[in-house]
Amino acid sequence: MNNMYEQITESLIKGRYTEVAELTQKALDEGYEPKEIINEALLTGMNEVGELFSDGEMFVPEVLVAAKAMASGMDLLKPLLKEGDVTSAGKCIFCTVKGDLHDIGKKLVAMMLEGAGYEIVDLGVDVGPEAIIEAVKEHQPDIIGMSAMLTTTMMSMKETVEALKENGMYDKLQVMIGGAPVSTNYADQIGASFSADAAAAVDLANRLMA
């Protein structure tokens, strides 16, 4: 592997966001292609972060810092990308459902998927079915990801799936759900796919897109 890419990857895994930005700029100054820096350094680093997290060798705070490091590099590279430079793995809309203000789990999944090459639209927290329907019309996603951390807010997931069906959208996309009280059983009941954690979400998204 190229030494410059190795340095960027290593800094990203360690969450050194200032260093990632500096090395990314240095790579650009030395004539490296933006899409190559993304594919060979940033995505490689984020994939490794995903594996370390999956193996229990990295924890949520470290993953969040690594994702911030990736973003510091992406901020420099995105404006320089040409049409078709980076192939998106798919487009995902993410939110925490109506009545629920928990953010970290949803953010983590979104970051892991972004690291795996997905285009992410984060609608934030406390998002009801109507807002999700509007977002689907606007963004035409491949996947909708919903998070709930309270048993009382899980019902909103079912209502959203029903709203997608009523609006003729359900068959055109995949629905992923997760969160502490959510289970495979509940996902099956409402017509969604369950992901136990952020690392599993990437595998699930890849399977759904296949």
Side-chain angles (χ1 to χ4, degrees):
M1 188 183 172
N2 177 297
N3 186 40
M4 173 62 80
Y5 296 151
E6 267 181 14
Q7 286 180 56
I8 295 172
T9 298
E10 201 174 307
S11 298
L12 186 153
I13 293 165
K14 289 177 177 166
R16 296 176 179 158
Y17 39 90
T18 311
E19 210 169 273
V20 170
E22 286 166 358
L23 287 166
T24 301
Q25 188 58 57
K26 189 180 174 197
L28 288 169
D29 294 344
E30 289 178 14
Y32 286 86
E33 285 291 321
K35 72 168 184 179
E36 295 296 327
I37 301 170
I38 291 172
N39 291 330
E40 302 297 328
L42 297 178
L43 290 183
T44 303
M46 214 51 205
N47 284 336
E48 209 165 311
V49 167
E51 283 168 25
L52 291 166
F53 178 69
S54 196
D55 294 341
E57 290 177 43
M58 227 171 160
F59 301 99
V60 172
E62 296 160 296
V63 175
L64 292 173
V65 177
K68 185 177 175 183
M70 178 175 170
S72 73
M74 287 299 287
D75 288 346
L76 292 169
L77 298 168
K78 269 184 185 165
L80 307 173
L81 292 173
K82 298 189 285 292
E83 193 72 39
D85 263 357
V86 176
T87 324
S88 167
K91 187 189 274 190
C92 309
I93 284 179
F94 271 91
C95 68
T96 303
V97 294
K98 195 170 177 64
D100 204 319
L101 301 175
H102 292 88
D103 201 27
I104 289 181
K106 180 258 304 168
K107 250 193 185 144
L108 189 59
V109 172
M111 283 170 173
M112 296 293 268
L113 278 163
E114 191 168 20
Y118 285 86
E119 195 183 334
I120 303 297
V121 179
D122 191 341
L123 303 180
V125 299
D126 191 20
V127 182
E130 308 79 14
I132 294 171
I133 296 298
E134 286 309 308
V136 171
K137 286 178 189 168
E138 184 185 343
H139 299 287
Q140 306 285 313
D142 302 294
I143 296 172
I144 291 177
M146 293 183 281
S147 167
M149 294 301 282
L150 307 164
T151 45
T152 49
T153 56
M154 279 167 58
M155 197 63 197
S156 188
M157 291 174 165
K158 184 172 186 281
E159 288 163 7
T160 301
V161 172
E162 283 165 3
L164 290 167
K165 287 177 179 171
E166 283 162 21
N167 285 272
M169 297 170 169
Y170 179 74
D171 294 329
K172 296 174 187 160
L173 44 74
Q174 301 287 344
V175 181
M176 283 170 53
I177 62 172
V182 185
S183 64
T184 307
N185 192 21
Y186 183 69
D188 292 344
Q189 277 175 33
I190 69 168
S193 299
F194 170 68
S195 155
D197 59 37
V202 176
D203 293 337
L204 175 59
N206 291 340
R207 283 204 308 278
L208 294 175
M209 289 301 291

